[in-house]
């Protein structure tokens, strides 16, 4: 019994350590990492309307805002609300996760001449 109990404690101790490692805080997210994820989402979901370089379409019946250098649309709150709710010219993407919204918002805030830093998942969650 002693040998069995000792082995069980050793196994449960390593099990506990493994669980503790898996529940540790997530690794920090870098601007480059989020921007790369956001670029992929932007290319597949946003570029068709906003343009590959964020130039938008300011003429004709389908007016789409310019994202390149557009300071009115770079706040995390505005981007989050626009993505989730959509608008007169944009469909809603309410099914996006906080991470996906943070990634595409970070990309928009830092691509095409913009330089506004990371949009965190916590900020996105707080603006849902």
């Amino acid at each position: 019994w002693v040998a069995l109990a000792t082995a069980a404690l050793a196994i449960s101790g390593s099990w506990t350590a493994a669980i503790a490692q898996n529940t540790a805080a997530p690794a920090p997210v870098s601007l480059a990492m989020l921007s790369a994820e956001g670029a992929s989402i932007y290319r597949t979901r946003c570029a068709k309307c906003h343009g590959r370089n964020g130039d938008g379409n300011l003429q004709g019946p389908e007016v789409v805002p310019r994202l390149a250098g557009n300071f009115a649309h770079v706040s995390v709150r505005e981007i989050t609300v626009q993505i989730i709710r959509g608008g007169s010219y944009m469909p809603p993407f309410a099914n996006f996760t906080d991470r996906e919204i943070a990634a595409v918002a970070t990309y928009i805030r830092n691509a095409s001449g913009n330089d506004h830093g990371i949009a965190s998942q916590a900020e996105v969650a707080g603006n849902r």
Side-chain angles (χ1 to χ4, degrees), residues 1 12 40 42 52 60 63 69 75 79 101 106-107 113 115 127:
W1 279 97
S12 69
S40 176
Y42 183 89
R52 183 173 180 205
V63 175
S75 83
I79 293 170
I101 294 170
T106 297
Y107 175 75
D115 183 18
N127 287 301

Side-chain angles (χ1 to χ4, degrees), residues 30 62 70 73 114:
S30 71
E62 304 270 334
N70 186 349
H73 294 283
N114 295 325

